[in-house]
Amino acid sequence: MYIVLLTYTKPLDEIDYVLPDHLDWLNRQYEAGHFLASGRQQPRVGGVILARTMPRGKLDALLATDPFAIRHMARYDVVSFQVTMTAPELSRVNEMLAAS
């Protein structure tokens, strides 16, 4: 599994202009089953994506298609980790991870 940290490299007014395209891209990744969660960082300096286990090259290729990446508007830091424990209320996540 991966945690992807996006850090904006352009002003927020430029980010907001491209945000609808980024949200469409995120929706396509959810529909394809690649992403489990995402959201804005607080304060709003970027975003966070929780991605399913996949070959790292595939994740890098997916991230390269993000409109923010195409327009050089964000830096992506990827952390790979193996989930070994979750809270009981995340039992559905445990089932999904076991199927990955």
Side-chain angles (χ1 to χ4, degrees):
M1 176 171 279
Y2 300 97
I3 298 173
V4 180
L5 299 174
L6 285 76
T7 303
Y8 300 140
T9 58
K10 300 289 182 181
L12 285 178
D13 61 333
E14 292 180 41
I15 295 296
D16 287 340
Y17 181 76
V18 178
L19 189 59
D21 295 334
H22 172 72
L23 294 174
D24 288 343
W25 174 81
L26 282 172
N27 284 327
R28 289 192 305 275
Q29 303 317 314
Y30 279 105
E31 289 170 6
H34 300 305
F35 293 169
L36 297 171
S38 60
R40 292 179 177 172
Q41 292 186 42
Q42 296 297 329
R44 192 174 170 211
V45 295
V48 179
I49 299 169
L50 185 59
R52 287 185 182 276
T53 301
M54 65 182 79
R56 175 61 191 267
K58 179 176 180 175
L59 177 63
D60 291 339
L62 289 173
L63 295 175
T65 66
D66 181 355
F68 287 159
I70 292 168
R71 292 172 176 85
H72 307 285
M73 301 179 85
R75 184 182 73 243
Y76 300 77
D77 296 305
V78 178
V79 177
S80 175
F81 75 106
Q82 182 177 1
V83 176
T84 56
M85 187 179 296
T86 63
E89 55 269 27
L90 294 179
S91 62
R92 178 73 177 116
V93 172
N94 286 334
E95 294 168 13
M96 292 184 330
L97 293 173
S100 296

